[in-house]
Amino acid sequence: MTIKISSSVKLCIAVLLCMSCLQSSVWAQALPAAGYGRVTASSGGSGKVFAGREIAAVMSWHGAGWLERTERKTEERPDLLLDALRLKPGMMIADIGAGSGYYTRQLAAITGSAGKVFAVEVQPEMLEILKKQNRALGIKNIVPVLATEQHVQLKADSIDLALLVDVYHELQYPVEVMHSLAKALKPGGQIALVEFRAEDANVPILPLHKMTEAQIKKEAALLGLTWVRTIATLPWQHVVILSK
């Protein structure tokens, strides 16, 4: 049996294929100029500027204990965050800037033995703390990944979700890191940026460690990412979901 395809249908198929190839090639191309600037460093700042925002200095591994403070349960409500992310067993998740593994362990419990959580960190000392806790708790589905300041060191098309909790504002090379992260997303994968709300003066966090939703969207657009939705149910933070 021979099926005849009209010229108009052929044209539509060709257009769709071209669009698919174009989208893939965008993330495969070399990066354009990042457009970073310099200012006199603020207290707790790096002096490096992207999209009109001074990038905060990276929190040292010496502050790992602060990441495990019991107050996080009420200040950040991780239960609300994880529920809003619509996680499922078997997912491949990257915890970018995993730190001591506070969120990594909770993600691992949800994704289960059929899934994995990639604990991505630039500080090897943080990864050692995380691995020690994993061994003590017998967690098997967490994969520690030592990243660089410019690359997350994840394979292309390998993750369903990337979670960055209070991390994006400290990325010293946001263009390069987010570009490498976008390539690691599977088709339909998403990036969740969790940041303390700069719109709310009552959030007791240093200004450089907070971001407005508008600023996040502005930078996402410059990075070639698409806004999907914003979660506004957390006490002090907002969650901006992005796709490539």
Side-chain angles (χ1 to χ4, degrees):
M1 178 179 178
T2 303
I3 300 175
K4 293 184 178 181
I5 302 176
S6 69
S7 58
S8 60
V9 171
K10 289 180 180 178
L11 178 60
C12 288
I13 292 173
V15 170
L16 289 172
L17 288 172
C18 287
M19 288 176 66
S20 177
C21 292
L22 179 61
Q23 185 179 39
S24 298
S25 65
V26 167
W27 295 106
Q29 291 171 358
L31 280 169
Y36 298 122
R38 300 295 305 185
V39 295
T40 301
S42 305
S43 176
S46 66
K48 190 174 184 178
V49 175
F50 176 61
R53 172 184 64 88
E54 183 182 1
I55 297 170
V58 176
M59 190 189 83
S60 167
W61 66 273
H62 293 287
W66 188 76
L67 299 175
E68 298 289 341
R69 67 193 187 281
T70 57
E71 293 85 359
R72 288 192 83 173
K73 288 185 178 181
T74 54
E75 292 172 354
E76 298 185 19
R77 290 298 303 273
D79 57 321
L80 295 179
L81 169 60
L82 297 175
D83 182 62
L85 291 176
R86 304 168 184 170
L87 305 173
K88 297 178 182 177
M91 289 181 73
M92 299 296 173
I93 305 171
D95 186 4
I96 307 298
S100 59
Y102 180 80
Y103 275 98
T104 316
R105 297 188 298 274
Q106 297 178 69
L107 293 168
I110 296 172
T111 194
S113 58
K116 289 182 182 177
V117 181
F118 299 93
V120 180
E121 252 296 335
V122 296
Q123 299 183 73
E125 297 90 349
M126 280 289 199
L127 282 183
E128 287 303 316
I129 293 170
L130 181 146
K131 288 190 286 186
K132 183 178 179 180
Q133 294 214 35
N134 291 349
R135 287 193 296 267
L137 296 170
I139 301 174
K140 305 295 185 182
N141 62 334
I142 293 176
V143 180
V145 178
L146 182 61
T148 71
E149 282 193 322
Q150 299 189 44
H151 201 288
V152 293
Q153 302 297 320
L154 295 172
K155 293 180 180 179
D157 303 318
S158 62
I159 59 171
D160 300 295
L161 174 71
L163 177 63
L164 293 81
V165 180
D166 307 331
V167 167
Y168 176 79
H169 67 275
E170 291 186 0
L171 295 180
Q172 301 303 297
Y173 293 88
V175 175
E176 293 81 355
V177 169
M178 298 303 283
H179 188 267
S180 73
L181 185 55
K183 289 196 291 185
L185 291 178
K186 295 179 182 180
Q190 296 184 332
I191 299 171
L193 300 184
V194 184
E195 292 288 343
F196 287 105
R197 296 193 303 270
E199 300 92 337
D200 188 350
N202 293 319
V203 174
I205 299 295
L206 294 173
L208 285 183
H209 292 270
K210 299 196 287 187
M211 291 186 70
T212 65
E213 181 184 5
Q215 181 68 26
I216 296 172
K217 288 182 176 179
K218 174 184 176 181
E219 296 189 26
L222 292 174
L223 296 167
L225 298 169
T226 302
W227 175 81
V228 176
R229 62 189 174 107
T230 298
I231 300 166
T233 55
L234 306 185
W236 287 355
Q237 299 150 302
H238 37 209
V239 187
V240 179
I241 307 296
L242 307 170
S243 66
K244 64 179 179 180

